[in-house]
Amino acid sequence: MGEVSIDFRDQLALITIDNPPVNALSQAVRSGLIDAIEEIELKNKSEIIILICGGRTFCAGADIREFSKPVLSPHLSEVITRIEACEIPIVAVIHGTALGGGLELAMGCHFRVADPKAKVGLPEVNLGLLPGAMGTQRLPRLIGVKHSLDMMISGKPVDANTALSLGILDQLIEEHPLLDGAISYANDLLNKGIPIRRVRDLIVEPVSVKFFDEYREKIAYKTRGLISPEKIIRCVQSSIEMDFDEAASQERYFFKECMTSPQSKALRHIFFAERAVTKLPDISSDVSQRAIKKVAVIGAGTMGSGIAYSALRAGYGVTLLDNEASGLDRGENSITGFFEHDVLRKRINESGMKEGLERLQTTQDFDSIANVDLVIEAVFENMAIKKDVFQKLDSICRDGAILATNTSTLDIDQIASVTKRPEDVVGLLFFSPAHIMRLLEIVRGDRTEDDVLVTALSFAKRLRKVGVVVGNCFGFVGNRMLHGYGREAQLLLLEGAPPEHIDVSLQNWGMAMGPHAVGDLAGLDVGYKIRQERTDQPDDPCFYRVADVLSEAGRFGHKTGKGMYLYESGSRSPIPDPEVQALIKREAELLGVQQREINSDEIIERCIYALILEGTRILEEKISPRSADIDVVWTNGYGFPRFRGGPMHYADEIGVRRVYEGICKLRDRFGPMYWEVPALLEELAAKDGKFSGL
Ligand code: 3HC
């Protein structure tokens, strides 16, 4: 059987799309759909058609893999036009998700029904695209301009109930199996003689002239740097101002422009990279997971509470352990606060919160976590303390339990060495705030078992995080690269670039926040303590000099109301501080650094090239198996713009040779201490290679 099959049943023809895993609308599906409609029409015995999908979901959209290949006929728009023109009524039956081209296909059908658990959406914006199979024209005809824009610009799907109340769906089918309910619905349509409804024939409700400009203003900050949102707005505006076909051809033109843009390429790269990281090249897919039901978190501080909350939200039973009763109280209060916040934001209801809190236990007694399946240690970042905790865990925890450390810099093999089961030890590095940040670095020690890694990846998925397996080294992938990036941001201060100029330059380039604003948010004292403990610091008095002087003066950032910037009470908006400017100038004089005007291009080049350089070393040392893994770490944990695809994809895009030449110039200008060119970079540049091809 092909991807599309027909089953003739009395007056009904059933078209089934079966293209695992997500019924993407590949060329075979598209041509199969046209053939199916033609065959049904030719047979001339069906009075109604049901379009349904096999497997776990309705169509997840166009086949994204085809976007980097030559266009294959028929285009999805042609298929949908053909379906809509059919004189036999067609009912789309949705289960799972109808996304992108999948929803566009359903909107081309004459009626739409769905399983109550289904979701529908137009998430193309997440791939740097716009709905390109007339979705920008049909959705406003069904639900109006405002709701359409909200769905297309956010890219977020809506649940079946919302879709029904908005008017995307005609009915929810409670009956099981879904197909039986859909057949009853179709027969009912026939019996009542309900005529075919073509969405293209509906009129879009007009809006005020100001509406679109106000909408642009409203989304400007969130969508800064992205090209497709503006094109979506223009298409939706055209749904009012042009006739259907004219607006559809404009949409097609914009879609092609977006599809061939570096932005869409970068976002598609991240889409596939986030899925690729879940598969480890050197671990067989046969390795089975360990069962995880009960989790213990050691340390009820900010990090521990955030981790415990994430695990509770994912449905695990959680025991929070701290040696101080007051610490446990604070932790429990934080967790309750997180639940309350999520209830307020309607992410969970009151009974979900109650049930979640019932799964939380607190204890000061290690013996009470003897039977858990996974322990995550989140105590103070100090080797002696961590070793002490792991010794206790080793003597108490049941055989086969996974023992994880949340260390952000320490050697996990050293931590594992105090146990008799280093194969069960792994790093699970959460990023603060742990219940919000999507990244989870999974640190593989020398002896970590494959099934521990596979379990950690699946744990990350259940927590709705992106787990990336990395090797063991100082700072692993993310923080190790951050070190070089932050170093340049610091050196630039001494050389004369004010903190706000550095931050704005990088933010305008696409970083979520500037490095100095991030430093104040994380706390300048955190990096200071880490640097103090390291014995392998570079022999350079300028190295993180400004941050160190600020820390020594008690200016830690947000928590003290001043750091690199000033903060008004209760505000997180950084205010440039003339005192800091004077301090930087003084330090530069003391260190003999000549200050000068520095433009944004230099700031961006030095900070981003420092990232790429360290990323290259990480690949050379096989700390990451693939450059895409590094991209996933930086886009999910450090605010690197997704539309630039991550640092390594960005290097590929602008050309590895250009990066190499740029780094050689920086080495010649500033010396080899920080800019020694990695052999891999030289090698790739010489053969015009790319990181992605490694
Ligand atoms: N095309 C090609 N492959 C796709 C795909 C698509 N639209 N959607 C998912 N896949 C692949 C994934 O790459 C993955 O492949 P792998 O197993 O080889 O890694 C596999 O399907 C399973 O995907 P997930 O791991 O993401 O499975 P989940 O169950 O977690 O999620 C999903 C399912 C919610 C459907 C999610 O895959 C998703 O969001 N897909 C993308 C939806 C989307 O963006 N659609 C719009 C496409 S663009 C478009 O339609 C243009 C049109 O307007 C013309």
Side-chain angles (χ1 to χ4, degrees):
M1 198 170 73
E3 285 81 352
V4 179
S5 60
I6 318 172
D7 180 6
F8 289 97
R9 299 185 181 183
D10 304 323
Q11 59 188 357
L12 179 119
L14 177 67
I15 302 180
T16 306
I17 301 176
D18 199 0
N19 185 26
V22 293
N23 291 310
L25 291 153
S26 60
Q27 195 274 339
V29 174
R30 296 194 304 272
S31 58
L33 281 171
I34 294 217
D35 291 348
I37 297 290
E38 275 168 8
E39 188 179 333
I40 295 167
E41 283 178 343
L42 202 70
K43 282 232 161 78
N44 197 20
K45 64 172 201 178
S46 306
E47 289 177 45
I48 194 153
I49 300 172
I50 283 184
L51 174 64
I52 197 163
C53 289
R56 59 177 153 125
T57 181
F58 195 77
C59 303
D63 189 335
I64 306 166
R65 285 172 218 275
E66 283 182 2
F67 291 170
S68 24
K69 299 178 188 154
V71 181
L72 295 167
S73 177
H75 186 268
L76 185 56
S77 298
E78 289 168 49
V79 179
I80 296 173
T81 302
R82 182 71 184 82
I83 283 178
E84 195 177 45
C86 181
E87 290 299 337
I88 306 169
I90 306 180
V91 183
V93 182
I94 299 169
H95 73 293
T97 47
L99 297 177
L103 177 56
E104 290 174 299
L105 173 68
M107 288 193 291
C109 295
H110 308 121
F111 302 94
R112 285 158 296 283
V113 297
D115 177 287
K117 290 203 211 83
K119 287 187 177 177
V120 303
L122 292 175
E124 286 87 344
V125 73
N126 298 328
L127 300 169
L129 298 170
L130 50 95
M134 300 172 293
T136 64
Q137 302 309 303
R138 287 203 176 84
L139 193 60
R141 281 171 167 76
L142 281 174
I143 67 171
V145 159
K146 153 93 177 53
H147 292 306
S148 298
L149 281 175
D150 288 349
M151 277 179 71
M152 292 185 222
I153 300 284
S154 71
K156 286 190 187 138
V158 295
D159 60 37
N161 274 304
T162 310
L164 179 71
S165 64
L166 285 172
I168 301 173
L169 297 175
D170 298 304
Q171 191 163 310
L172 301 188
I173 304 280
E174 304 281 350
E175 204 176 323
H176 286 289
L178 180 65
L179 180 59
D180 289 356
I183 291 174
S184 309
Y185 175 84
N187 287 331
D188 210 34
L189 285 178
L190 282 183
N191 295 338
K192 289 184 180 152
I194 302 207
I196 278 178
R197 288 205 310 252
R198 295 192 172 92
V199 177
R200 64 178 285 135
D201 295 338
L202 305 175
I203 304 291
V204 185
E205 190 99 4
V207 287
S208 76
V209 184
K210 295 187 306 197
F211 173 85
F212 289 101
D213 284 338
E214 284 171 2
Y215 202 91
R216 282 184 174 94
E217 227 170 274
K218 192 176 92 178
I219 61 158
Y221 183 74
K222 268 202 164 166
T223 59
R224 66 190 197 283
L226 296 172
I227 55 172
S228 71
E230 170 56 23
K231 293 185 194 296
I232 291 175
I233 295 178
R234 285 177 63 187
C235 287
V236 171
Q237 195 162 356
S238 300
S239 73
I240 299 178
E241 295 168 358
M242 296 179 186
D243 73 25
F244 188 92
D245 290 327
E246 196 186 350
S249 82
Q250 182 198 46
E251 178 202 88
R252 188 138 179 69
Y253 177 79
F254 283 155
F255 181 79
K256 269 195 205 148
E257 262 190 357
C258 287
M259 199 174 74
T260 49
S261 69
Q263 268 191 15
S264 177
K265 200 170 159 199
L267 287 159
R268 276 154 26 213
H269 160 74
I270 286 296
F271 175 86
F272 288 117
E274 284 179 355
R275 281 145 184 93
V277 291
T278 61
K279 295 155 196 137
L280 295 172
D282 62 338
I283 295 185
S284 149
S285 54
D286 300 341
V287 173
S288 50
Q289 297 172 29
R290 299 190 189 180
I292 305 288
K293 287 202 174 100
K294 286 181 282 177
V295 177
V297 179
I298 317 281
T302 314
M303 191 51 98
S305 313
I307 297 171
Y309 181 66
S310 296
L312 287 168
R313 281 300 306 275
Y316 294 102
V318 177
T319 306
L320 186 61
L321 186 149
D322 200 289
N323 48 17
E324 302 280 343
S326 58
L328 284 176
D329 287 345
R330 264 199 310 277
E332 216 173 340
N333 284 340
S334 303
I335 291 170
T336 309
F338 296 149
F339 267 119
E340 285 168 349
H341 180 76
D342 276 356
V343 169
L344 214 65
R345 302 293 300 266
K346 296 198 169 28
R347 295 186 188 121
I348 185 174
N349 57 24
E350 291 276 351
S351 73
M353 163 164 141
K354 188 166 167 283
E355 186 272 325
L357 283 169
E358 277 165 11
R359 274 185 280 108
L360 174 67
Q361 290 180 350
T362 56
T363 183
Q364 287 175 262
D365 177 11
F366 268 81
D367 285 333
S368 59
I369 61 165
N371 288 319
V372 302
D373 310 303
L374 165 67
V375 186
I376 305 170
E377 162 279 305
V379 302
F380 194 68
E381 186 75 351
N382 172 287
M383 183 57 92
I385 300 176
K386 298 221 186 237
K387 281 186 170 171
D388 184 47
V389 169
F390 271 76
Q391 260 164 351
K392 282 197 185 107
L393 294 176
D394 191 33
S395 65
I396 286 159
C397 291
R398 68 163 180 81
D399 280 353
I402 296 178
L403 310 182
T405 168
N406 179 55
T407 178
S408 53
T409 51
L410 301 175
D411 178 350
I412 84 146
D413 289 330
Q414 259 201 63
I415 297 174
S417 71
V418 300
T419 72
K420 287 185 279 312
R421 40 172 136 176
E423 64 282 0
D424 295 338
V425 177
V426 68
L428 286 183
L429 173 52
F430 289 77
F431 288 75
S432 190
H435 60 297
I436 291 176
M437 295 297 286
R438 280 187 83 212
L439 178 64
L440 181 67
E441 270 189 319
I442 300 170
V443 188
R444 177 182 205 161
D446 259 356
R447 308 260 312 265
T448 310
E449 275 289 353
D450 289 355
D451 66 345
V452 171
L453 296 173
V454 170
T455 310
L457 279 166
S458 134
F459 178 69
K461 184 158 186 180
R462 177 135 168 224
L463 262 52
R464 293 170 175 247
K465 297 195 185 291
V466 186
V468 184
V469 174
V470 299
N472 183 26
C473 64
F474 181 85
F476 316 118
V477 169
N479 285 340
R480 172 167 165 179
M481 288 169 72
L482 181 67
H483 210 57
Y485 172 81
R487 175 202 73 222
E488 285 309 300
Q490 286 282 320
L491 293 175
L492 283 157
L493 293 170
L494 288 176
E495 290 168 42
E500 61 277 14
H501 177 40
I502 298 170
D503 279 0
V504 168
S505 300
L506 283 155
Q507 237 185 314
N508 287 344
W509 186 79
M511 297 299 294
M513 282 173 84
H516 298 302
V518 171
D520 276 359
L521 179 68
L524 295 180
D525 52 324
V526 176
Y528 179 78
K529 278 188 206 127
I530 293 172
R531 286 190 295 280
Q532 292 299 306
E533 283 195 14
R534 278 194 82 174
T535 48
D536 56 347
Q537 300 285 45
D539 181 17
D540 174 14
C542 298
F543 183 73
Y544 280 89
R545 178 71 182 170
V546 179
D548 286 352
V549 173
L550 289 172
S551 294
E552 280 159 10
R555 296 185 63 130
F556 297 156
H558 286 193
K559 57 181 134 179
T560 54
K562 51 187 180 174
M564 191 66 78
Y565 296 101
L566 278 178
Y567 300 89
E568 279 170 357
S569 157
S571 161
R572 296 197 153 201
S573 302
I575 304 168
D577 184 353
E579 246 182 59
V580 171
Q581 206 48 58
L583 177 149
I584 295 172
K585 197 157 183 286
R586 209 170 46 239
E587 287 302 317
E589 276 165 15
L590 278 173
L591 294 161
V593 179
Q594 189 76 39
Q595 292 211 316
R596 60 193 164 90
E597 284 256 321
I598 299 179
N599 65 27
S600 294
D601 288 349
E602 178 175 345
I603 292 168
I604 293 160
E605 187 176 274
R606 281 173 59 183
C607 292
I608 303 301
Y609 281 9
L611 275 182
I612 298 170
L613 189 142
E614 204 56 45
T616 311
R617 291 199 185 115
I618 282 170
L619 288 171
E620 275 183 342
E621 292 168 28
K622 306 214 178 313
I623 296 296
S624 265
R626 298 160 291 214
S627 63
D629 294 30
I630 298 176
D631 291 335
V632 173
V633 167
W634 266 77
T635 48
N636 284 286
Y638 295 85
F640 194 97
R642 291 173 78 83
F643 68 79
R644 293 195 190 273
M648 309 319 282
H649 175 87
Y650 175 70
D652 280 350
E653 246 338 85
I654 62 169
V656 173
R657 185 195 290 271
R658 178 172 147 195
V659 175
Y660 164 75
E661 285 165 359
I663 290 179
C664 286
K665 279 195 196 131
L666 290 167
R667 178 200 55 201
D668 297 345
R669 186 167 157 208
F670 296 107
M673 182 171 354
Y674 303 131
W675 295 106
E676 188 73 75
V677 180
L680 176 61
L681 187 63
E682 191 166 356
E683 200 183 296
L684 282 179
K687 60 178 186 202
D688 251 336
K690 285 180 184 284
F691 288 109
S692 65
L694 290 176

